[in-house]
Amino acid sequence: MTFYLLMTTTFNKYITQILGPASTFTLGQRTLNAMSVLAVIVAVVDLSLYQQLELPKIYFLTFSYIAPTVMIAYYLNRFRRKYTMALILFISAELVIFYTDFFHVGGVNGPGPILIIFFHIVNFNLLEKGHHLFYLIFCNIFVALACAFNIYHTDISPENLAPLNARALQIIHLNLMSSVALWLFKKQDYKKSNALKAINKHLQQLLHSVENDFIIMQVDALGKLSYVSDASKTILRNLPEGEAHQLLYSLVNQQQAEVISERKLYINGSAHCVRINQKQYFDAQQQPYLQLIIQDISDQKKYEKQLILALNKEYELNKMKSDFITMVSHQFRTPLTTIHSANQLIQYQITEKTPEDAPIYQPRFNQVFEAVGSLKGMLERLLDYGQMETEEINLYLQQQDFPAFIEDLLKRRYAAEDCARIRFKVVGTAQTIEFDAYLMEHIIVNLLNNALKYSEEAIDLHLEYHASKVQLGVRDYGIGISEEAMQHLFQPFYRAKNAENTKGTGMGLHFVKKYAALHGGSIAVQRHPEGGAHFTLELPCRVMKTIRKKVNFQP
């Protein structure tokens, strides 16, 4: 395999020397060089075999003209880069040989006219755009004159003149039609070429804008560096070329053709982190080569480290805040319990010893019980908030009948007059769904309490089943929600301006959103111009597998 690669590389090297490198010569220039070399070889061989083949003397003169003319054309194109002049010389050599063949090998009835049309197509594609029209006109005039000269200056019997004229007209028509077709195809080709040039220019500009941030290098099939972009000088801090190439070559992964990796480099004593994107491609000769795109990500790594430190610091602060909230909540429970017990004891003493005074003091006792209960509720919410911030809440999933769960909740948590204001409706085929009973009760109670608190009219509780999800809607007809409040409604401790005179902590809807997300669901709100709001809770009938792995499941 190594010998084959060596032979192929050597052959490609000599071919490149003869035709010119593809990076600096166009396809037309390389094609002209190849045709010139072949024409010289054929002319020299024919000259050496002239006497053995007993060719007419005109061929000796023709080949004597073709050989030096084509050699001059090759020299002008390959070494002096005079492509147009070289092509004109080459075409003149073609015309001489075609003229010789045309009048000595059958004329109009021979192979010469068809060969003229064939090379006419080749030459047309080799010419530059500015010479196309001139060449087409010249070629058609040349073919027409050659056919006419062959017919009217040759001794032809009258009976053979008509077929010969018909053949000449066919050749002229064929050459004319091929010229028109070539012109149209080439015009379309130029449109595509201009579009590709525009795209290429855009890509070059894009590459130029980022080339200082990347090193692009290529390694050929023999393991040698064949290309290194100029950005290496900047990124490698102007290391000597040999040392820079050795350092770059050490980044090549010899075991894998395509890999993305990160390495640490030491350049002039300082450490740099680089990301390497290595891929394998094939050149025009189907020889494999590796292309590496190397990016210095030292600054990025530095910023990542700073970001991680900042996130860790923020996490520690949040944890301290949550721990403080939890500690304060627990510390307040003891005095609240003491106040509650003391209030109960005083109420009992008055009721037992002076029952006639009990109705006087009972409203005061109720105020104390209500204040203690409200404060305990606020502490419970703060405790829940601390648990959510530290991700300490677990789900205890159960498969339950959702309508039955809601009906039982209404009976337990609401008085008869409040239940009468709640219009509960179920749509669709009921099915058991998975949810945490404690958290789901918290969600529904919070939505219902808000609706009852901010609306004096009846509210709608609408449960609708779908194929794989269930929607619970709560619609009230109260004071509504402002446009400004819609943007902050689910943020913790947020209270809308039109609700500041109503008791609350601003945590309820925040909990609703968090608890819904824990179930893989969502909560949305819609404000109505005529008043009121419509909250829609959407839950999956079965909690996703990714969530089930993190929770306790009770079938």
Side-chain angles (χ1 to χ4, degrees):
M1 186 66 180
T2 305
F3 175 75
Y4 170 75
L5 289 175
L6 181 62
M7 292 296 295
T8 304
T9 305
T10 305
F11 177 76
N12 290 336
K13 180 179 178 181
Y14 284 113
I15 290 295
T16 301
Q17 289 294 326
I18 294 172
L19 303 183
S23 58
T24 56
F25 282 78
T26 65
L27 178 61
Q29 292 171 333
R30 287 163 59 87
T31 303
L32 180 59
N33 287 336
M35 294 174 62
S36 300
V37 171
L38 291 175
V40 170
I41 294 173
V42 170
V44 171
V45 170
D46 286 343
L47 283 172
S48 63
L49 300 176
Y50 165 69
Q51 293 181 347
Q52 289 86 339
L53 297 175
E54 298 181 353
L55 295 173
K57 187 177 181 179
I58 186 66
Y59 279 97
F60 177 79
L61 298 175
T62 299
F63 292 133
S64 298
Y65 169 78
I66 289 175
T69 303
V70 174
M71 288 178 65
I72 294 172
Y74 176 78
Y75 170 76
L76 290 174
N77 184 46
R78 176 66 179 85
F79 300 104
R80 300 298 300 275
R81 308 300 292 271
K82 304 290 186 180
Y83 175 65
T84 303
M85 187 180 298
L87 187 58
I88 292 173
L89 287 175
F90 185 82
I91 292 174
S92 70
E94 284 182 343
L95 295 177
V96 170
I97 187 62
F98 290 147
Y99 180 84
T100 303
D101 282 342
F102 190 77
F103 290 103
H104 290 84
V105 190
V108 173
N109 289 320
I114 302 301
L115 289 176
I116 289 176
I117 294 174
F118 171 74
F119 279 95
H120 156 56
I121 296 172
V122 175
N123 294 336
F124 180 85
N125 285 282
L126 292 179
L127 278 169
E128 295 177 351
K129 182 180 180 182
H131 302 91
H132 284 163
L133 185 59
F134 171 77
Y135 177 77
L136 290 177
I137 295 173
F138 170 77
C139 186
N140 279 274
I141 293 175
F142 175 81
V143 171
L145 290 176
C147 292
F149 187 80
N150 177 246
I151 293 171
Y152 295 107
H153 291 80
T154 306
D155 188 13
I156 303 173
S157 59
E159 62 273 10
N160 294 327
L161 185 59
L164 200 61
N165 286 333
R167 175 66 173 168
L169 287 175
Q170 288 178 352
I171 293 170
I172 294 171
H173 289 163
L174 181 61
N175 189 66
L176 182 61
M177 286 189 294
S178 64
S179 299
V180 174
L182 279 173
W183 176 265
L184 294 176
F185 281 124
K186 203 66 176 177
K187 189 175 181 181
Q188 186 67 25
D189 184 58
Y190 274 120
K191 289 183 180 179
K192 295 180 180 178
S193 177
N194 291 333
L196 289 175
K197 286 180 181 178
I199 294 173
N200 184 57
K201 182 180 179 181
H202 177 71
L203 291 177
Q204 290 292 338
Q205 292 174 347
L206 183 62
L207 181 61
H208 180 72
S209 65
V210 299
E211 64 180 358
N212 292 330
D213 300 326
F214 298 89
I215 298 176
I216 301 175
M217 57 178 283
Q218 294 178 352
V219 181
D220 61 20
L222 297 178
K224 296 181 180 180
L225 286 179
S226 58
Y227 172 76
V228 179
S229 64
D230 294 336
S232 62
K233 298 178 182 178
T234 304
I235 296 178
L236 298 182
R237 306 301 191 270
N238 292 317
L239 285 176
E241 184 175 337
E243 186 178 346
H245 285 190
Q246 184 178 1
L247 182 62
L248 291 174
Y249 189 76
S250 66
L251 301 177
V252 180
N253 191 310
Q254 305 291 349
Q255 282 73 35
Q256 293 178 279
E258 299 191 2
V259 63
I260 298 176
S261 60
E262 293 182 2
R263 294 274 297 276
K264 183 173 286 188
L265 295 180
Y266 290 92
I267 305 172
N268 294 332
S270 60
H272 294 265
C273 187
V274 296
R275 179 178 290 119
I276 307 157
N277 188 344
Q278 175 177 309
K279 287 191 176 183
Q280 185 181 55
Y281 298 95
F282 293 88
D283 59 19
Q285 288 76 35
Q286 293 302 308
Q287 296 300 316
Y289 69 92
L290 297 176
Q291 178 171 286
L292 284 78
I293 299 177
I294 304 165
Q295 181 186 11
D296 189 345
I297 57 172
S298 302
D299 293 339
Q300 180 181 337
K301 286 294 183 181
K302 178 182 176 181
Y303 296 143
E304 285 181 1
K305 187 176 180 180
Q306 293 176 352
L307 181 61
I308 291 173
L309 290 175
L311 289 174
N312 289 336
K313 186 176 181 179
E314 184 180 357
Y315 175 78
E316 291 175 0
L317 290 174
N318 285 334
K319 192 173 185 306
M320 289 175 59
K321 179 183 69 175
S322 300
D323 292 342
F324 174 76
I325 291 174
T326 302
M327 183 268 296
V328 169
S329 299
H330 284 295
Q331 292 296 326
F332 268 98
R333 282 182 176 181
T334 301
L336 284 176
T337 303
T338 302
I339 294 172
H340 189 273
S341 300
N343 195 49
Q344 282 183 325
L345 182 61
I346 295 172
Q347 182 185 28
Y348 175 76
Q349 292 291 340
I350 291 177
T351 303
E352 290 294 324
K353 294 182 178 181
T354 57
E356 65 279 2
D357 295 333
I360 301 174
Y361 295 103
Q362 188 60 41
R364 303 295 183 185
F365 294 139
N366 292 339
Q367 287 180 348
V368 173
F369 285 135
E370 185 178 347
V372 170
S374 177
L375 190 55
K376 287 181 68 176
M378 291 177 63
L379 291 176
E380 290 294 337
R381 288 173 181 266
L382 286 174
L383 189 61
D384 289 342
Y385 176 72
Q387 288 179 333
M388 279 198 300
E389 289 297 307
T390 55
E391 299 182 357
E392 295 179 356
I393 293 181
N394 291 321
L395 291 181
Y396 294 90
L397 295 176
Q398 292 179 305
Q399 291 186 359
Q400 300 188 51
D401 184 342
F402 204 24
F405 173 80
I406 294 175
E407 290 175 353
D408 178 67
L409 180 150
L410 295 176
K411 292 177 182 178
R412 288 187 293 103
R413 297 296 297 267
Y414 294 98
E417 59 271 17
D418 288 333
C419 284
R421 293 176 57 199
I422 301 174
R423 297 189 291 254
F424 182 41
K425 181 180 179 182
V426 180
V427 177
T429 304
Q431 55 179 309
T432 58
I433 66 171
E434 295 174 352
F435 61 90
D436 182 303
Y438 172 77
L439 297 184
M440 189 57 60
E441 181 170 334
H442 188 101
I443 293 173
I444 298 174
V445 167
N446 188 278
L447 294 176
L448 290 176
N449 284 349
N450 285 343
L452 293 170
K453 183 165 46 176
Y454 297 113
S455 175
E456 296 180 356
E457 302 178 21
I459 63 174
D460 295 319
L461 181 61
H462 184 265
L463 179 62
E464 184 173 350
Y465 282 92
H466 299 275
S468 59
K469 65 181 180 180
V470 62
Q471 287 182 330
L472 181 66
V474 178
R475 171 76 164 95
D476 68 75
Y477 304 88
I479 61 177
I481 304 171
S482 66
E483 188 70 33
E484 178 185 357
M486 289 284 288
Q487 303 175 11
H488 311 282
L489 203 59
F490 296 100
Q491 295 179 1
F493 306 110
Y494 177 77
R495 302 291 312 281
K497 290 184 179 181
N498 58 352
E500 290 177 349
N501 296 326
T502 308
K503 289 194 302 182
T505 59
M507 293 295 296
L509 290 178
H510 178 69
F511 289 142
V512 168
K513 184 177 180 180
K514 289 285 186 179
Y515 293 161
L518 286 174
H519 287 82
S522 62
I523 181 73
V525 59
Q526 180 182 2
R527 59 191 295 266
H528 292 273
E530 64 273 12
H534 188 185
F535 287 84
T536 303
L537 173 70
E538 186 172 292
L539 298 169
C541 292
R542 296 291 178 269
V543 177
M544 293 183 296
K545 293 181 179 179
T546 54
I547 298 178
R548 287 165 63 97
K549 293 179 181 178
K550 304 177 184 179
V551 302
N552 300 305
F553 180 70
Q554 299 176 2

